[in-house]
């Protein structure tokens, strides 16, 4: 029987929903607050060694000689790993596009400060660190390339010798008649923007324990992995192991946000285990290693962009030229962040045509990685800033300008010029609710009074679309193949009728186990706390990907519902056989399998499960004694990209509009956020508490990117930000608690109508804050177009104006 | 071989050249000693000093531990003061407030004596780091550490505080203007221990203020100003101003003091004094968050705001 997944909670046929959409207490939290969660650093395996990594102090150098003899002689050292070992036993990291990855330990040359040049496994971390001090490395310095401009200059040294330049990819996408629309425009609003490096900073850095089984030639890895199956495949390729001989046991994580990199840490620990007779080797990345050389850095961008605008404020065309500093190769999958904006290139607007001119460049900065939002947040800062510049130029209120350009509800499903299809939305309803909640008119009046008194008060209104539920085809343009991102669950009832939901991913903070439990409990009419959600190693769980690309809430809903329906069909067969009727005469309702004609007659779910496992004699012929089902969900109807990269990629298009009011201190350049409002629409809200957390957390990261955080490099490519003294993550004192409300426009394409919303406010907060900062500066004729709008930058701007 | 790596920290402002291995994060080996009396501690310091061994005192560890973990500090011996009884008092002795070096900043923050009798020191304490750091960090540790961005040295200059040091030769009192020598350096001898800091009860009617500019709540200041003044017969008297976070140690601002002395407490005079104070500063430090010129401007702004605030408090 075909599986039909309910499109709305109201369509759940097995009884009224009691948990979906409610603010239930999260199943993850008791263990987290009581400290019983086993994070990787808490785990000790008998015989375990500890790894420390020697890292390059140079951004670009040839490695002439690595002398490890003194380190090897130190008591307590089991093995020292060098580039020679890496060359012998492993392959460079697989990347997309191919050929821009390095070995886990530098072979021949180093390309960024912090790149591993040797590693030690010892009885404890202290000895391992001591041993590092005994390793002598001879370098021949090469010219450092600190910027893409330097890396593209004629005669610049080439970082990866297999290529003849440092340009990883140069590609122009044309969607529609851009040139004509710009020629016909009444106004063209153009500007340049600089988005400086920011990135994920989870509380827990990466960590793993690797054990190479020399007899079986297999690898078992315990560790903090966001997408374990993905890394299994990559590790097998890097370490020359059959993929079925690499097994990852993911541990709960203290956050990730995309920054849980770890390929090098894993490969180094694995090879150290191999070199020390298969003893387990633990590597816990420390904070300096994470900040300098982990996947902590993303989005290093130089933009030039323009809007074509009609006299009435209608925006008809959008052109973006992006030079993206990928850093020393693409092992961190930073290329994806350039491709992802295709999924929502024109944001919430009815823009007819667009051009995206991209140049991805390798430099001697750290390889850039994934970060919440994975590319669109800087893109939307550019688009929303241009919208505000247009509003100022045309003297139209910025909220009104957006309203005039929004897609209208009847236009959905809407195919954007860049090819993706938006599922649904009602942007004007979101804006109306926001403006009413914030008392927009009142705020503008307050602003004029404050301005008259000489204060620099700014108001920003910004609208964005969040591409949700990613598919690989979204990244095909940078060389990632395929369609379909399987997310599987196994539902298993035991002999007492208790239900276990086995998923392929582990805790990371978002609360997806709770969502799985809510849906399963509603389907099976059980108590929500009675559902056990658990994970298992990569080799036994169904195909899965895990969190990423704002997809897991939707995907897990689909998987739980699909598996539930499979199992319900099976239970109906069993009950029909016992009751001597046809399966279609049996239905699941409120936790019982009952006869449609005579609802008083039936069996509880527990009775059916127990019967299946203990009374094989009562089962219909051909039915196995197995009250379990697996279902693997992936987004339907995705398409291969055409020659301009156009395809149906991300399944959902959530949207949000934010409003912020802030004040700049003229003398210090400091920005204080006074008021913050959010209205969002991510379709059906499966768990309001989870959503509130996602929104507020992404808002915090957005405030960081807008005002505080920046990985600074010197002109010779030395990282100047190496600790939290200089990487300034805003704290509870700097982050406003936003006043929030929502609109619900269910997705017609997804399980229960939910949309991906995990990255959420990260798309909007940096944009809206910059819009407000520039609104505050507007009376002075000043404008900031670089992130973060730090006090120093604002002071310099204000100071130069005097 | 020395590396090119420049390690710049907001609190450090110095460029330290690290060896390759100093990417590591776990301390180098050291011995750890826990003397039970002050005498024992001083004797240990003296012995290691004579032997040419690098011994270091550890108090709350809030500054020293990160330096150990990054192997920036590599003492051979750590001497912990926490087992020594009786170094954590806060009391008044005939118009002088005495704080034992091992009193936590949190206890100073919670002390009614400090709050009522020395509100400037109290306000400075609340600006130090976060509550967790004030719980663990000692009052004495901040003086001994002599971080240029710390609030206490500036307050010490404004209040003419005195530091009591105990060494092999006995006890001595060091005035604030002789105590802080330069970046993370005091005039304490290698075998001396700071045991107490002393300050006067703030005379009634004195106006005071301390303000700083930090990127986030609890961060070390990029610039800060502490000051006190009296208003007598309608003019400003006994103006004492100091800045922190701008030079290798906290500095008095004599040009600002002179510009205000004897002037009526009005906005124009405050602006003139603040401008004079900032203009006379030695070239301020630079870091990625604040170039020197910006710091100078911050001192002017903060001084002006502090003067307004202090005048409002003066009676
Ligand atoms: C996140 C963070 C934020 C901070 N913010 C601020 C801030 O805003 N303002 C500020 O002023 N500080 C700040 N600090 C530093 C903090 O206040 C430290 O506690 C203080 O500098 C040192 O006190 P301690 O007791 O921890 O000393 P330790 O770290 O134990 O020692 C510091 C130094 O002083 C020496 N020492 C300590 N006690 C004595 C003694 N009795 N005699 C002789 N030598 C001694 C030690 O040998 C060592 O060299 C911050 C620290 C952190 C981690």
């Amino acid at each position: 029987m075909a599986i039909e997944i309910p499109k709305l909670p109201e369509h759940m046929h097995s009884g009224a929903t009691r948990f979906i959409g409610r603010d239930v207490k999260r199943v993850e939290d008791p263990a987290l607050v009581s400290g019983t969660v086993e994070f990787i650093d808490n785990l000790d395996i008998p015989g375990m060694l500890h790894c420390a990594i020697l890292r390059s102090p140079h951004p670009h150098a040839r490695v002439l000689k690595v002398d490890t003899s003194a380190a090897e002689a130190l008591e307590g050292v089991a093995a020292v790993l060098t580039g020679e070992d890496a060359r012998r036993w492993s392959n460079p990291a697989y990347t997309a596009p191919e050929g821009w990855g390095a070995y886990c330990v530098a072979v021949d040359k180093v390309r960024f400060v912090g790149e591993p040049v040797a590693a030690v496994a010892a009885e404890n971390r202290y000895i391992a660190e001591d041993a590092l001090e005994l390793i002598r490395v001879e370098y021949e310095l090469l010219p450092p390339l600190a910027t893409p401009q330097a890396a593209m200059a004629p005669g610049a040294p080439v970082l990866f010798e297999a290529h003849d330049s440092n340009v990883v990819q140069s590609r122009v996408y044309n969607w529609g008649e851009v040139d004509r629309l710009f020629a016909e425009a009444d106004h063209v609003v153009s500007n340049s923007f600089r988005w400086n490096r920011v990135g994920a900073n989870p509380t827990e850095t990466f960590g793993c324990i690797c054990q190479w089984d020399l007899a079986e030639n297999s690898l078992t890895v315990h560790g903090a992995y966001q997408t374990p199956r993905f890394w299994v495949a990559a590790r097998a390729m890097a370490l020359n192991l059959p993929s079925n001989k690499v097994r990852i046991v993911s541990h709960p994580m203290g956050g990730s946000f995309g920054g849980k990199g770890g390929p090098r840490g894993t490969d180094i620990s694995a090879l150290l285990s191999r070199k020390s007779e298969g003893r387990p080797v633990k590597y816990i990345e420390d904070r300096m290693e994470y900040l300098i050389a982990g996947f902590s850095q993303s989005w290093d961008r130089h933009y030039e962009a323009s809007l074509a605008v009609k006299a009435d404020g209608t925006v008809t065309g959008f052109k973006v030229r992006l030079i993206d500093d990928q850093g020393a190769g693409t092992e961190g999958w930073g290329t994806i962040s350039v491709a992802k904006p295709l999924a929502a290139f024109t944001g919430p607007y009815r823009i007819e045509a667009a051009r995206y001119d991209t140049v991805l460049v390798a430099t001697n900065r750290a390889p850039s990685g994934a970060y919440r939002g994975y590319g669109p947040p800087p893109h939307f800062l550019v688009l929303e800033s241009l919208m505000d510049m247009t509003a100022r130029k045309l003297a139209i209120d910025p909220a009104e300008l957006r309203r005039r350009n929004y897609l209208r509800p009847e236009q959905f499903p809407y195919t954007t010029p860049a090819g993706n299809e938006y599922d649904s939305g009602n942007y004007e309803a979101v804006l109306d609710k926001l403006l009413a909640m914030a008392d927009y008119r009142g705020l503008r009046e307050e602003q004029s009074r404050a301005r008259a008194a000489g204060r620099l008060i700014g108001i920003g209104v910004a609208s964005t679309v969040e591409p949700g539920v990613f598919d690989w085809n979204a990244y095909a343009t940078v060389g990632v193949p395929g369609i379909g991102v399987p997310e599987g669950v196994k539902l298993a009832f035991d002999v007492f009728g208790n239900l276990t939901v086995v998923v392929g991913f582990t805790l990371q903070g978002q609360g997806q186990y709770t969502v799985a439990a809510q849906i399963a409990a509603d389907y099976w009419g059980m108590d929500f706390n009675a559902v056990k959600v658990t994970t298992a190693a990569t080799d036994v769980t169904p195909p899965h990907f895990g969190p990423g690309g704002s997809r897991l809430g939707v995907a897990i809903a689909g998987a739980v519902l699909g598996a539930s329906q499979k199992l319900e069909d099976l239970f109906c067969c069993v009950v029909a056989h016992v009751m001597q009727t046809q399966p279609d005469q049996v239905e699941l309702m409120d936790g019982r399998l009952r006869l449609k004609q005579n609802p008083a007659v039936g069996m509880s779910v527990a009775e059916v499960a127990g019967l299946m496992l203990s009374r094989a004699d009562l089962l219909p012929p051909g039915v196995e004694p197995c009250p379990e089902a697996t279902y693997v969900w992936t987004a339907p109807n995705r398409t291969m990209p055409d020659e301009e990269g156009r395809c149906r990629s991300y399944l959902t298009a959530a949207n949000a509009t934010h409003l912020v009011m802030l004040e700049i201190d003229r003398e210090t350049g400091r920005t204080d956020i006074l008021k913050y409002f959010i209205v969002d629409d991510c379709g059906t809200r499966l768990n309001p508490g989870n959503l509130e957390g996602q929104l507020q957390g992404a808002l915090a990261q957005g405030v960081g990117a807008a005002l505080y955080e920046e990985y600074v490099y010197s002109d010779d490519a030395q990282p100047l930000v190496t600790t939290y003294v200089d990487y300034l993550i805003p704290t509870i004192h700097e982050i406003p608690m936003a006043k929030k409300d929502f609109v619900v426009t269910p997705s017609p394409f997804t399980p229960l109508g939910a949309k991906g919303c995990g990255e959420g406010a990260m798309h909007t907060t940096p944009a809206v804050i910059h819009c407000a900062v520039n609104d505050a500066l507007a009376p002075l004729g000043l404008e900031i177009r670089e992130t973060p709008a730090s006090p120093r930058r604002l002071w310099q701007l204000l100071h130069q104006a005097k | 071989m020395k590396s090119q790596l420049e390690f710049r920290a907001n609190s450090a402002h110095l460029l330290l050249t690290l060896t390759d291995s100093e990417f590591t994060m776990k301390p180098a080996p050291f011995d750890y000693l826990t003397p039970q009396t002050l005498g024992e501690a001083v004797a240990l310091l003296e012995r290691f000093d004579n032997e040419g061994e690098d011994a270091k005192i550890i108090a709350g560890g809030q500054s020293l531990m990160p330096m150990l973990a990054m192997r920036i500090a590599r003492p051979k011996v750590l001497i912990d003061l926490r087992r020594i009884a009786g170094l954590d008092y806060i009391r008044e002795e005939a118009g002088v407030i005495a704080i034992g070096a091992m009193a936590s900043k949190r206890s100073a923050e919670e002390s009614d004596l400090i709050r009522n009798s020395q509100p400037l020191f109290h306000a400075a304490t609340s600006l130090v780091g976060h509550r967790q750091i004030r719980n663990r960090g000692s009052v004495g540790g901040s003086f001994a550490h002599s971080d240029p961005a710390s609030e206490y040295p500036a307050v010490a200059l404004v209040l003419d505080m005195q530091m009591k040091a105990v060494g092999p030769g006995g006890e001595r009192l060091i005035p604030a203007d002789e105590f802080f020598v330069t970046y993370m350096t005091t005039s304490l001898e290698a075998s001396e221990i700071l045991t107490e800091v002393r300050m006067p009860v703030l005379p009634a009617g004195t106006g005071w203020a301390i303000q700083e500019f930090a990127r986030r709540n609890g961060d070390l200041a990029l610039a800060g100003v502490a000051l006190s003044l009296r208003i007598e017969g309608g003019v400003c008297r006994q103006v004492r101003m100091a800045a922190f976070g701008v030079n290798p140690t906290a500095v008095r601002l004599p040009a600002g003091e002179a510009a205000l002395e004897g002037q009526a407490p009005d906005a124009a005079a405050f602006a003139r004094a603040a401008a004079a104070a900032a203009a006379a500063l030695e070239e301020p430090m630079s870091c990625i968050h604040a170039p020197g010129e910006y710091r100078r401007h911050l001192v002017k702004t903060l001084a002006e705001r502090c003067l307004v605030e202090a005048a409002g408090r003066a009676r």
Side-chain angles (χ1 to χ4, degrees), chain B residues 56-64 81 101 105 127-130 133 137-138 141-142 144-145 150-151 188 193-194 218-220:
Chain B
K56 211 149 183 54
I57 286 169
I58 181 157
Q62 296 303 289
S63 295
L64 190 52
L81 297 186
K105 294 184 183 77
L127 288 174
V128 177
H130 311 270
I133 284 145
S138 66
S142 286
H145 192 55
S150 173
E151 294 80 2
L188 286 174
I193 294 175
L194 175 68
D219 281 349
L220 282 159

Side-chain angles (χ1 to χ4, degrees), chain A residues 55-58 113 125-126 129-130 132-133 137 139 286-288 292 665 667-668 670 707-708 712 718-730 733-734 790-792 795-796 802, chain B residues 1-11 18 20-29 70-71 74 130 213-217 219 287-291 293-294 297-298 300-302 305:
Chain A
R55 295 173 178 277
S56 168
H58 305 297
V113 171
R125 180 74 177 252
Y126 298 95
E129 301 277 356
D130 291 345
L132 296 187
E133 301 191 345
V137 185
Y139 297 98
D286 69 35
R287 188 60 68 180
M288 274 177 90
I292 297 167
D665 182 330
E667 298 307 324
T668 65
R670 180 191 162 94
L707 298 173
Y708 293 92
V712 183
Q718 283 286 343
L720 301 181
V721 168
T722 59
T723 72
Y724 280 156
V725 171
D726 286 314
Y727 194 79
L728 305 178
I729 301 170
H733 300 285
E734 286 78 41
S790 59
R792 168 182 67 82
W795 180 80
Q796 279 167 339
K802 273 185 198 161
Chain B
M1 192 170 62
K2 288 278 174 184
S3 83
Q4 303 302 306
L5 175 73
E6 295 172 340
F7 175 87
R8 293 187 203 192
N10 174 356
S11 64
L18 305 186
D20 302 2
S21 58
E22 272 155 326
F23 261 118
T24 58
M25 280 279 282
K26 309 293 170 287
M70 291 189 277
R71 300 194 175 197
R74 313 173 60 120
H130 311 270
F213 185 78
R215 289 293 306 274
R216 298 168 304 181
N217 183 297
D219 281 349
C287 73
I288 58 170
H289 306 293
E293 272 320 288
Y294 176 40
H297 185 86
L298 288 172
K300 172 171 154 292
T301 300
L302 295 168
R305 291 176 183 177

Side-chain angles (χ1 to χ4, degrees), chain B residues 89 91 93 98-101 162-165 194-198:
Chain B
Y89 51 86
R91 62 188 176 223
E93 301 163 349
I99 304 180
Q162 290 187 311
M163 314 325 140
K164 187 190 279 184
L194 175 68
T195 59
E196 182 182 294
V197 299
R198 300 168 66 80

Side-chain angles (χ1 to χ4, degrees), chain A residues 1 68 78 111-112 196 200 232 351 354 477 479 555 558 597 636 668 728:
Chain A
M1 210 194 288
T68 60
R111 299 183 182 87
F112 61 100
N196 285 297
V232 162
I351 299 175
T477 56
Q597 303 301 332
T668 65
L728 305 178

Side-chain angles (χ1 to χ4, degrees), chain B:
Chain B
M1 192 170 62
K2 288 278 174 184
S3 83
Q4 303 302 306
L5 175 73
E6 295 172 340
F7 175 87
R8 293 187 203 192
N10 174 356
S11 64
H13 307 302
L14 270 196
L15 297 183
L16 303 178
T17 306
L18 305 186
T19 59
D20 302 2
S21 58
E22 272 155 326
F23 261 118
T24 58
M25 280 279 282
K26 309 293 170 287
F30 57 81
D31 286 334
Y32 174 73
L33 302 175
T34 54
Q36 309 289 314
T37 66
L38 199 57
E40 262 178 64
V42 171
L44 285 170
L45 280 174
E46 191 184 15
R47 195 184 92 208
F48 290 117
D49 190 31
N50 289 339
E51 290 169 4
E53 283 278 24
D54 183 13
K56 211 149 183 54
I57 286 169
I58 181 157
Q62 296 303 289
S63 295
L64 190 52
M65 282 308 298
M67 296 172 75
L68 291 173
M70 291 189 277
R71 300 194 175 197
I72 291 171
R74 313 173 60 120
K76 284 276 169 291
V77 184
L78 276 190
I79 299 173
D80 195 333
L81 297 186
R82 280 176 306 172
R83 300 284 168 82
I84 301 172
L87 278 181
D88 58 356
Y89 51 86
I90 298 179
R91 62 188 176 223
E92 190 188 330
E93 301 163 349
V96 171
I97 298 171
I99 304 180
M102 290 301 286
S104 72
K105 294 184 183 77
R106 183 85 180 126
S107 65
E109 193 179 14
E110 286 180 333
S111 153
D112 285 336
L113 172 66
I114 306 284
R115 186 181 295 111
N116 298 328
S117 303
Q118 192 36 270
L120 175 56
F121 190 87
H122 187 262
T125 304
S126 304
L127 288 174
V128 177
H130 311 270
R131 181 174 301 183
Q132 293 86 335
I133 284 145
R134 297 194 292 272
N135 266 330
R136 303 280 302 195
S138 66
V139 169
S142 286
F143 286 82
H145 192 55
S146 186
D147 188 315
S150 173
E151 294 80 2
Y152 281 156
V155 169
L157 293 176
V158 170
L159 297 179
D160 260 343
M161 285 177 64
Q162 290 187 311
M163 314 325 140
K164 187 190 279 184
V166 174
E171 176 179 300
R172 64 175 177 134
L173 283 177
I174 311 171
D177 59 359
E178 291 171 19
F179 186 79
F180 306 103
V181 175
T182 182
Y183 175 82
M184 293 195 176
T185 309
T186 66
S187 55
L188 286 174
E189 300 290 340
S191 50
E192 275 183 324
I193 294 175
L194 175 68
T195 59
E196 182 182 294
V197 299
R198 300 168 66 80
M199 66 199 96
V201 167
L202 195 78
T206 305
W208 59 271
I210 178 166
Q211 290 193 25
E212 67 182 30
F213 185 78
R215 289 293 306 274
R216 298 168 304 181
N217 183 297
D219 281 349
L220 282 159
L222 296 176
V225 170
L227 54 81
S228 70
L229 53 79
R230 298 189 64 80
I231 298 176
E232 288 163 5
V235 296
C236 298
R237 295 287 180 209
Q238 297 176 45
V239 184
R240 298 182 66 92
M241 303 169 68
F244 54 101
V246 280
N247 288 153
T249 175
V251 287
R252 281 282 288 276
L253 301 170
E257 295 172 359
L260 195 58
E261 193 66 34
Q263 302 292 308
D266 58 37
F270 294 155
R272 274 197 308 276
L281 271 178
E282 244 174 65
E283 180 55 25
M285 304 180 286
S286 276
C287 73
I288 58 170
H289 306 293
E293 272 320 288
Y294 176 40
R295 279 191 156 88
R296 190 188 295 281
H297 185 86
L298 288 172
V299 168
K300 172 171 154 292
T301 300
L302 295 168
E304 194 172 338
R305 291 176 183 177
C306 276
L307 287 170
V308 173
E309 192 186 337
R313 289 196 175 108
R315 275 173 285 111

